[in-house]
Amino acid sequence: MTDVEEVEVVVAHHERATLRVGDVFLKIDADQARTDIEVEAMARAPIPTPEVLWRKPPVVALAALPGTALGRLGEPSTASAGAWVAAGAALRVLHDAPLPPWSGRSLDETTSQLDSECAWLVTNGVLPPEVVMHNRRVAEAALRPWQPVFTHGDLQLSHVFVDGDEITGVIDWSEAAPGDALFDLATLTLGHQERLGDVIAGYGTDVDLDVIRAWWSLRSLLGVRWLVEHGFDPTSPGCEVDVLRARAMRDLRELNSRA
């Protein structure tokens, strides 16, 4: 690191920041409990994760992963179909692993948060009420009891690194917890629905597609306010607001075609 000429700010907001210094990522988090979970989850996960080089609160230093991200929300993914299949297979290995010993978000907590976020979206005019309410109805399918598995909890496609058709590692484990397997599948394919078939092929078992579609709506509804308040733009093409609008419009077209 002594020969590094610049420091790259990867992401920064008032809760945490990630800097890249050469081949080392420095994660600075105001919530040390969150960092504790991230480090412990990476140690327990049976799939590739970044090496923890050192930790001195509030900083943890992680080695850079080889390869490139599977993609980014709002942008076309250039990764091969084989890479997406491999991502599904890695996810199945994680979900088959023993549960971490800490608790995850309950169904009641998720339902309560969904109600409050929908109200916020309508009150603040972020989306038309009919778009919010339609997606709220779609999201109902995800609000059912699930058998908890070891979930990553924030498996955005930018958190999965690949080299060709091989998974080289998964980053950002601070949300890892017992949870719904289909939430991870939905998060991975959010905004890239055309890749769901490849992911399921790698996952290797039947899944309820209606529940995955419900999680697409539910995750998007839950995420918009956080993104706005932390300086991100959920209205960027292909991102959360687009996902919600597209779902409402697609379902309306299907309804009209049956009429």
Side-chain angles (χ1 to χ4, degrees):
M1 291 177 64
T2 57
D3 297 327
V4 170
E5 296 182 354
E6 65 178 28
V7 175
E8 176 190 356
V9 179
V10 179
V11 63
H13 48 78
H14 68 261
E15 291 182 356
R16 69 191 86 163
T18 300
L19 310 177
R20 180 165 188 164
V21 186
D23 290 331
V24 176
F25 286 87
L26 303 178
K27 299 193 70 172
I28 307 161
D29 200 317
D31 185 347
Q32 286 308 289
R34 192 160 47 210
T35 304
D36 291 341
I37 286 176
E38 178 158 18
V39 172
E40 180 67 17
M42 288 192 294
R44 291 175 174 272
I47 60 177
T49 62
E51 178 187 0
V52 178
L53 300 175
W54 51 264
R55 183 180 179 191
K56 186 175 182 179
V59 183
V60 60
L62 304 172
L65 291 171
T68 58
L70 192 61
R72 296 192 181 281
L73 187 60
E75 300 176 7
S77 171
T78 60
S80 67
W84 285 86
V85 171
L91 196 50
R92 180 59 184 270
V93 171
L94 176 65
H95 290 169
D96 285 344
L99 292 174
W102 54 89
S103 61
R105 181 180 296 172
S106 71
L107 177 59
D108 287 343
E109 289 172 324
T110 300
T111 303
S112 177
Q113 185 184 6
L114 178 60
D115 290 339
S116 63
E117 294 306 309
C118 287
W120 183 88
L121 290 168
V122 173
T123 300
N124 289 275
V126 178
L127 281 164
E130 59 272 19
V131 172
V132 175
M133 292 303 102
H134 180 82
N135 280 278
R136 175 65 177 81
R137 289 191 293 272
V138 171
E140 289 284 348
L143 300 176
R144 86 283 178 230
W146 56 72
Q147 181 65 41
V149 300
F150 188 164
T151 61
H152 179 278
D154 190 22
L155 198 69
Q156 303 175 45
L157 71 168
S158 60
H159 292 166
V160 180
F161 279 70
V162 299
D163 184 1
D165 293 346
E166 179 184 356
I167 301 299
T168 59
V170 177
I171 64 172
D172 284 1
W173 290 81
S174 61
E175 304 298 325
D180 183 6
L182 300 190
F183 174 71
D184 271 352
L185 288 165
T187 302
L188 180 62
T189 54
L190 182 71
H192 289 77
Q193 301 175 13
E194 75 283 357
R195 301 289 194 165
L196 180 58
D198 294 328
V199 172
I200 292 174
Y203 196 69
T205 188
D206 291 336
V207 300
D208 190 327
L209 296 180
D210 285 338
V211 174
I212 291 180
R213 296 184 186 106
W215 274 120
W216 284 335
S217 290
L218 204 162
R219 180 182 170 91
S220 297
L221 290 167
L222 295 184
V224 172
R225 176 167 27 175
W226 187 95
L227 292 166
V228 170
E229 292 179 347
H230 288 77
F232 300 102
D233 184 6
T235 67
S236 297
C239 294
E240 285 80 359
V241 169
D242 262 6
V243 169
L244 296 169
R245 289 183 181 274
R247 181 59 196 246
M249 292 179 64
R250 182 169 55 251
D251 288 353
L252 179 59
R253 287 196 301 268
E254 291 180 359
L255 182 63
N256 288 338
S257 68
R258 299 192 198 106

